[in-house]
Amino acid sequence: MIHSMTAFARHEVKSDWGNAIWEIRSVNQRFLETYFRLPEQFRGLEPVLRERFRKQLNRGKVECSLRFNANPAAKSNLSINEKLAEQLIASAQWINDKANNSTLNPVEIMRWPGVMEAEEADMDVISAELLAGFDKALADFKAARASEGKNMAALIVERLEGIVTQAEQVKAQMPDIVKWQRERIIEKFNDANIEPDSGRLEQELVLLAQKMDVDEEIDRLFSHVKETNKILKKGGAQGRRLDFMMQEFNREANTLGSKSINTDITAAAVELKVLIEQMREQIQNIE
């Protein structure tokens, strides 16, 4: 299955420490480029995230963002640095004794830096849960790219069928066109009251038929259609290969148009160019 380079995914992680939201979006790009918007305390995750993108994706401009909301009610219990508090109390009592003042405010002791301590949240645990959430977001992101790629493949197959139809119509019309051209040349000689040499006439008609011959172009169009369908069925990162096939299609359509001496053939060549351009627009977004 082929994948689109345009997609979006969102996944929320909830836990006792709060919640976090991963968002991943991408657009078409010639190579894989990743950009991150992470809270400062989680900037260390960026190399890990970049490597996971590299293993899962091949092309596209990918933007990944994380919004982290801590739960205030989940703060760890406070603890007292008893040794430091005892030292502060002893010092405060000594000052009080010297100042003949027995007033000692316990709150002031507690406000002293380092007396009251709160255990920091286990960042390793939080990071592990965030990475698990990222993996789910990435899985959803790839599924969205695959779904869009499936729709794009269906549109391309539809255009390929249109190319086959046009090529078959041109091939079916060629005998009548050659016959019409022969009759047209003979008619011009008759109108001019000229009796052409039969051998020379046949030689000129053969040369004209060779110039008008589009069998090779038609066969190549059929071959390109077959190869493109094969690439679509193979799946994977086929954007560059499909883009190359569009160049080959264009070459045959241009040659067919240059050989045209009939309005129907010209119309078919124009329609081929339209179908090829429609495919090319879709392929620009294929990974």
Side-chain angles (χ1 to χ4, degrees):
M1 178 181 296
I2 63 172
H3 293 75
S4 169
M5 284 190 284
T6 304
F8 173 80
R10 183 180 186 274
H11 182 76
E12 183 175 4
V13 181
K14 294 182 178 180
S15 187
D16 294 337
W17 42 258
N19 75 303
I21 299 174
W22 287 103
E23 287 188 354
I24 306 174
R25 68 185 74 241
S26 69
V27 294
N28 60 321
Q29 181 78 318
R30 187 176 180 183
F31 303 104
L32 177 63
E33 295 184 7
T34 52
Y35 301 88
F36 299 93
R37 293 196 300 271
L38 306 176
E40 189 61 34
Q41 64 267 41
F42 298 111
R43 295 295 296 178
L45 296 178
E46 184 172 325
V48 179
L49 302 177
R50 195 181 304 277
E51 180 63 17
R52 295 191 182 187
F53 274 133
R54 189 189 66 80
K55 290 182 177 179
Q56 297 290 328
L57 309 176
N58 291 279
R59 299 172 67 196
K61 180 180 178 181
V62 184
E63 296 181 359
C64 175
S65 65
L66 172 65
R67 284 183 289 168
F68 181 81
N69 303 303
N71 181 11
K75 291 183 177 179
S76 302
N77 295 328
L78 293 174
S79 61
I80 297 178
N81 187 332
E82 296 181 0
K83 187 174 182 179
L84 177 58
E86 289 174 354
Q87 292 175 358
L88 289 173
I89 292 172
S91 298
Q93 287 176 343
W94 182 84
I95 293 173
N96 284 336
D97 291 342
K98 292 296 182 181
N100 296 319
N101 184 358
S102 61
T103 302
L104 182 63
N105 188 347
V107 175
E108 294 298 327
I109 299 296
M110 296 173 64
R111 287 177 178 173
W112 189 269
V115 173
M116 301 303 298
E117 298 176 338
E119 295 180 0
E120 294 186 1
D122 191 338
M123 296 302 293
D124 290 340
V125 172
I126 296 177
S127 296
E129 293 185 19
L130 290 178
L131 287 174
F134 170 81
D135 288 339
K136 293 180 180 179
L138 182 56
D140 293 342
F141 178 71
K142 288 192 63 180
R145 283 167 64 116
S147 177
E148 181 65 18
K150 182 178 180 180
N151 294 334
M152 294 166 67
L155 291 173
I156 293 173
V157 169
E158 183 179 337
R159 271 61 178 182
L160 290 174
E161 292 172 352
I163 289 176
V164 170
T165 299
Q166 294 297 323
E168 288 177 342
Q169 289 177 356
V170 171
K171 189 172 184 177
Q173 291 175 354
M174 286 310 298
D176 291 336
I177 292 174
V178 172
K179 181 180 178 182
W180 167 79
Q181 186 65 15
R182 178 188 179 93
E183 293 173 349
R184 183 165 172 262
I185 293 174
I186 294 175
E187 183 180 349
K188 286 185 177 181
F189 277 112
N190 293 333
D191 291 341
N193 293 320
I194 298 175
E195 184 67 30
D197 178 77
S198 60
R200 180 61 183 273
L201 176 61
E202 289 300 324
Q203 185 179 5
E204 293 296 328
L205 290 174
V206 168
L207 291 174
L208 179 62
Q210 290 176 346
K211 292 180 180 179
M212 295 169 51
D213 184 25
V214 294
D215 285 346
E216 186 175 353
E217 286 75 18
I218 297 299
D219 289 342
R220 285 178 180 171
L221 284 173
F222 289 144
S223 177
H224 295 339
V225 168
K226 183 178 180 180
E227 179 63 20
T228 303
N229 276 315
K230 182 179 178 181
I231 293 172
L232 291 173
K233 291 179 180 179
K234 182 178 180 181
Q238 301 290 348
R240 291 189 179 91
R241 188 180 296 273
L242 289 170
D243 188 59
F244 171 77
M245 293 305 303
M246 294 307 103
Q247 298 177 34
E248 296 299 305
F249 273 116
N250 260 320
R251 184 177 292 109
E252 305 308 329
N254 289 334
T255 304
L256 183 64
S258 67
K259 290 184 176 182
S260 174
I261 59 171
N262 177 283
T263 55
D264 292 336
I265 304 301
T266 301
V270 171
E271 182 63 22
L272 284 172
K273 296 281 286 184
V274 171
L275 292 169
I276 294 166
E277 180 61 21
Q278 290 174 346
M279 288 194 295
R280 191 191 67 81
E281 290 177 355
Q282 296 295 326
I283 289 169
Q284 295 305 306
N285 287 326
I286 291 178
E287 183 178 17

